[in-house]
Amino acid sequence: MTTLTLSAGLKDAELETESPVLAVEPSGDVPVEKMDDHQLLAATLTGDEAAFRELVRRYQNQITNYVYRMLNDYDRAVDLAQETFVRVYTSAERYQATYSFSTYIYRIAHNLAISELRQRKRRRLIPFPTFFSDKDSEEIEVEIEDKRQVLADDSMIADERRLAVQKAIASLPEKYRAALVLCDIEEKSYEEISEVLDLPVGTVKSRINRARNLLKEKLKEYL
């Protein structure tokens, strides 16, 4: 039994690991800051908690931000980011070093976010006051509160626009939202998004284009 303390924002947890089969060997006395992601995960399998903390440090903000953009719920995003890293730790021995670690961890986070969204729909925890059906017969929330009054404070105007964009992204169907966030916020390449979502590149491009067009429609009063 290995007791792991996640000092970079994760709760303490006792996690049990199996015999390591990761193809990459740890890098001996190389400082964790100098290791690549594969080496850090290999070192984690040997019980090197510093190596795992370095992985958390590298990806915690990115993963939390991605899940937050998917859920529009920061507290839940923090929880699911924590769960993402716990799953990385507990399944480290099954990781294939031939794949990008970034793709691997984003895929875990994405699956957790999608599961959360689907649970919310089943429990009817998300209010959707106004809908229309697009050409794909999907329900899409399109009304954004009209706050176009003249504001003297530029920072208030910027905040208003930011919140409008945030709300518009959160209202996109999940398949479009994921592709858009990965591309325009996380700045992933089409190929990386294809791997995370397990979709052909052509489908990824189509979804991103569709998402951008939906956003333009939703935000036309702010443009």
Side-chain angles (χ1 to χ4, degrees):
M1 180 73 72
T2 300
T3 301
L4 174 66
T5 301
L6 307 184
S7 62
L10 301 183
K11 297 178 182 177
D12 293 344
E14 289 189 352
L15 304 172
E16 190 170 306
T17 61
E18 301 174 1
S19 301
V21 295
L22 190 65
V24 176
E25 293 296 326
S27 298
D29 296 327
V30 177
V32 293
E33 295 83 2
K34 301 294 184 182
M35 293 183 186
D36 63 27
D37 295 341
H38 299 310
Q39 292 167 336
L40 287 171
L41 201 55
T44 297
L45 283 169
T46 70
D48 189 340
E49 295 181 11
F52 187 67
R53 285 196 296 269
E54 176 63 15
L55 279 175
V56 174
R57 186 194 67 78
R58 290 182 186 182
Y59 286 96
Q60 184 179 34
N61 289 342
Q62 297 175 51
I63 295 302
T64 302
N65 184 62
Y66 174 67
V67 178
Y68 170 62
R69 294 293 183 176
M70 290 295 293
L71 304 182
N72 199 28
D73 180 339
Y74 181 76
D75 290 338
R76 190 62 182 139
V78 171
D79 290 341
L80 291 186
Q82 171 179 312
E83 176 64 20
T84 297
F85 286 107
V86 169
R87 292 194 180 193
V88 167
Y89 188 86
T90 56
S91 61
E93 74 282 355
R94 296 193 297 272
Y95 172 69
Q96 298 294 319
T98 53
Y99 297 98
S100 163
F101 179 78
S102 176
T103 297
Y104 174 70
I105 193 171
Y106 267 93
R107 181 175 289 185
I108 293 174
H110 173 76
N111 289 339
L112 287 171
I114 293 299
S115 294
E116 174 72 13
L117 288 171
R118 290 174 180 170
Q119 287 177 16
R120 288 182 178 184
K121 288 179 181 178
R122 286 195 297 269
R123 297 170 184 171
R124 298 183 178 180
L125 295 180
I126 303 179
F128 292 106
T130 306
F131 296 93
F132 78 94
S133 294
D134 72 350
K135 66 180 181 181
D136 297 319
S137 298
E138 297 191 53
E139 290 186 325
I140 302 171
E141 183 181 359
V142 295
E143 286 195 354
I144 298 175
E145 184 180 356
D146 187 356
K147 299 179 179 178
R148 290 177 291 179
Q149 68 266 30
V150 177
L151 299 176
D153 190 334
D154 287 344
S155 65
M156 292 179 65
I157 296 174
D159 286 344
E160 178 188 346
R161 289 174 176 169
R162 177 181 57 80
L163 290 173
V165 171
Q166 180 177 312
K167 181 178 179 181
I169 291 174
S171 72
L172 289 173
E174 61 190 40
K175 68 180 184 179
Y176 298 132
R177 191 187 323 168
L180 181 77
V181 171
L182 286 168
C183 180
D184 290 347
I185 297 176
E186 298 299 312
E187 299 183 338
K188 300 293 183 183
S189 68
Y190 291 136
E191 289 73 19
E192 289 174 312
I193 299 170
S194 171
E195 292 178 357
V196 171
L197 302 182
D198 195 22
L199 293 170
V201 171
T203 302
V204 167
K205 292 180 179 179
S206 176
R207 289 189 179 184
I208 291 170
N209 183 63
R210 177 67 174 145
R212 288 170 176 167
N213 287 335
L214 286 172
L215 278 184
K216 287 179 182 179
E217 176 65 23
K218 293 168 184 287
L219 297 170
K220 61 184 178 182
E221 64 189 69
Y222 290 91
L223 298 177

